[in-house]
């Protein structure tokens, strides 16, 4: 385990130092205006993703006080290099990556206070997601919605798991006493898979204490923050309204000071933190719940050679 700590806290895994952090590339997740990657002219997420495979051992800073939504931009950071560090620079709250899209256009009445919206698009056709009313998750059911606030994703697979679709284009049914086209509510749905996905070894995602890098409404079961290589480190993040896993990490991981709220809305016996491999250190991770309960014990799959972690505290 000493070997893990040496690697996990060595070069490329330095703790976030605050507004004075120095990065190789600066990124503003909220902008579509191309930059040069410096503080005064930060990259877009698309520009950063275009560098994938050529930026090993680089430090990437996400601009504080920014947010990105799936309505306007591709919100997902996806990189394949080893030794990456993704942190935060500037003042204010840490970046928020909102993986939800607004349901726009007319709803069709099915009678009996049932309404359907067709042609909703998602990024992954074998994934689980949620439906939201004014940002609050609706109750997902497997049968016809029968009470106000209930919703169903009309295409199912995986034995009818709540909110799971088998196609990238599907319909959403809800129960509402008023036409949702004009009832004054905003309806959104989980549309994108990951907030940050790093596939190399020795990679880090690190927000700051009191300024957690936040992901909202992730679509997939594979974690809003996903670090699949060896010796990953993830600190000071927050995941809200996830269908299943909140974080997925590879072997010899360090997972600490993260927060989870309203996780595992697919209502499965499944891990909040999924560990693919052995030897994970997990410290001070906190779970708060609403709706379906979050997993009290973080663990990997039940297959051999998956780590089992200690229980998280609750808020």
């Amino acid at each position: 385990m000493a070997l893990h700590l040496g690697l996990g806290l060595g070069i490329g895994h330095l703790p976030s130092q605050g507004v004075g952090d120095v990065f190789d590339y600066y990124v503003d997740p909220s902008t579509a205006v191309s930059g040069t990657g410096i503080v005064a002219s930060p990259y877009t997420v698309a520009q950063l993703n275009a560098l994938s495979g050529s930026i090993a051992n680089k430090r990437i800073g996400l601009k504080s006080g920014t947010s990105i939504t799936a309505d306007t931009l591709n919100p997902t950071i996806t990189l394949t290099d080893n030794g990456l560090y993704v942190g935060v620079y500037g003042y204010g709250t840490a970046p928020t990556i909102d993986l939800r899209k607004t349901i726009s256009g007319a709803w069709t009445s099915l009678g009996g206070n049932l309404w359907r919206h067709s042609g909703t698009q998602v990024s992954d056709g074998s994934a689980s997601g949620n439906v939201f009313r004014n940002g609050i998750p609706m109750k997902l059911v497997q049968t016809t919605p029968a009470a106000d606030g209930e919703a169903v994703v009309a295409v199912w697979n995986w034995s009818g798991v709540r909110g799971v679709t088998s196609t990238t284009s599907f319909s959403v049914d809800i129960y509402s006493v008023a036409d949702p086209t004009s009832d004054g509510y905003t309806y959104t749905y989980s549309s994108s898979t990951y907030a940050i996905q790093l596939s190399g070894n020795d990679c880090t995602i690190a927000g700051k204490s009191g300024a957690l890098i936040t992901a909202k409404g992730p679509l997939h079961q594979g974690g809003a923050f996903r670090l699949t290589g060896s010796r990953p480190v993830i600190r000071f993040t927050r995941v809200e309204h996830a269908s299943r896993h909140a974080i997925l990490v590879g072997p010899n991981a360090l997972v600490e000071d993260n927060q989870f709220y309203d996780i595992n809305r697919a209502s499965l016996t499944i891990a909040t933190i999924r560990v693919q491999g052995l030897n994970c250190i997990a410290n001070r991770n906190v779970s708060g719940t609403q709706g379906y309960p979050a997993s009290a014990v973080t663990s990997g799959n039940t297959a051999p050679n998956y780590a089992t972690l200690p229980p998280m505290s609750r808020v």
Side-chain angles (χ1 to χ4, degrees):
M1 198 57 63
L3 177 62
H4 163 76
L5 293 175
L7 290 169
L9 299 179
I11 296 173
H13 291 299
L14 297 174
S16 185
Q17 298 298 314
V19 297
D21 270 348
V22 176
F23 295 96
D24 298 292
Y25 304 110
Y26 296 83
V27 179
D28 181 349
S30 66
T31 186
V33 179
S34 295
T36 58
I38 61 174
V39 173
S41 178
Y43 279 147
T44 65
V45 168
Q47 285 182 294
L48 177 64
N49 287 342
L51 299 176
S52 180
S54 63
I55 53 172
N57 302 310
K58 297 297 186 181
R59 292 173 57 84
I60 298 160
L62 305 181
K63 187 176 181 179
S64 293
T66 60
S67 62
I68 182 172
T69 69
D71 273 335
T72 55
L73 298 167
N74 173 19
T76 302
I77 294 172
T78 303
L79 301 168
T80 61
D81 308 83
N82 293 327
L84 294 177
Y85 180 102
V86 178
V88 177
Y89 73 94
Y91 295 93
T93 58
T96 295
I97 303 170
D98 195 329
L99 301 167
R100 300 171 293 186
K101 276 188 178 180
T102 301
I103 297 176
S104 59
W107 292 73
T108 301
S109 174
L110 303 178
N113 293 328
L114 292 175
W115 302 85
R116 173 169 293 176
H117 188 278
S118 300
T120 309
Q121 299 290 319
V122 296
S123 64
D124 189 331
S126 60
S128 52
N130 293 299
V131 181
F132 303 82
R133 176 192 276 174
N134 279 6
I136 299 173
M138 302 183 74
K139 182 180 179 180
L140 296 175
V141 297
Q142 292 176 294
T143 57
T144 302
D148 190 60
E150 291 187 348
V152 62
V153 178
V155 180
W156 304 93
N157 75 5
W158 298 350
S159 302
V161 172
R162 292 177 177 87
V164 178
T165 75
S166 59
T167 176
T168 56
S169 181
F170 61 95
S171 60
V172 174
D173 294 353
I174 68 170
Y175 185 102
S176 176
V177 296
D179 183 349
T181 306
S182 56
D183 64 2
Y185 293 115
T186 298
Y187 293 88
T188 56
Y189 66 96
S190 303
S191 70
S192 295
T193 308
Y194 311 117
I196 301 176
Q197 179 178 216
L198 306 179
S199 301
N201 297 324
D202 302 301
C203 289
T204 294
I205 299 173
K208 303 174 185 176
S209 177
L212 311 180
I213 300 176
T214 299
K216 295 185 177 183
L219 174 67
H220 200 49
Q221 78 275 14
F225 298 109
R226 183 179 176 92
L227 298 89
T228 56
S230 296
R231 299 172 298 279
V233 176
I234 180 163
R235 305 178 67 235
F236 296 118
T237 70
R238 178 178 172 90
V239 181
E240 300 178 5
H241 310 309
S243 296
R244 304 178 74 185
H245 310 298
I247 286 175
L248 184 148
V249 290
N252 300 304
L254 176 62
V255 182
E256 61 182 11
D257 298 305
N258 302 287
Q259 294 183 7
F260 311 108
Y261 180 71
D262 189 25
I263 306 302
N264 190 20
R265 291 189 56 80
S267 195
L268 299 171
T269 303
I270 206 159
T272 300
I273 302 172
R274 180 178 176 184
V275 185
Q276 291 186 319
L278 295 173
N279 302 329
C280 178
I281 299 174
N283 300 311
R284 300 181 300 278
N285 298 294
V286 179
S287 175
T289 63
Q290 169 187 318
Y292 296 113
S295 181
V297 178
T298 57
S299 65
N301 282 359
T302 57
N305 299 323
Y306 280 74
T308 299
L309 307 182
M312 289 182 290
S313 58
R314 296 284 188 137
V315 293

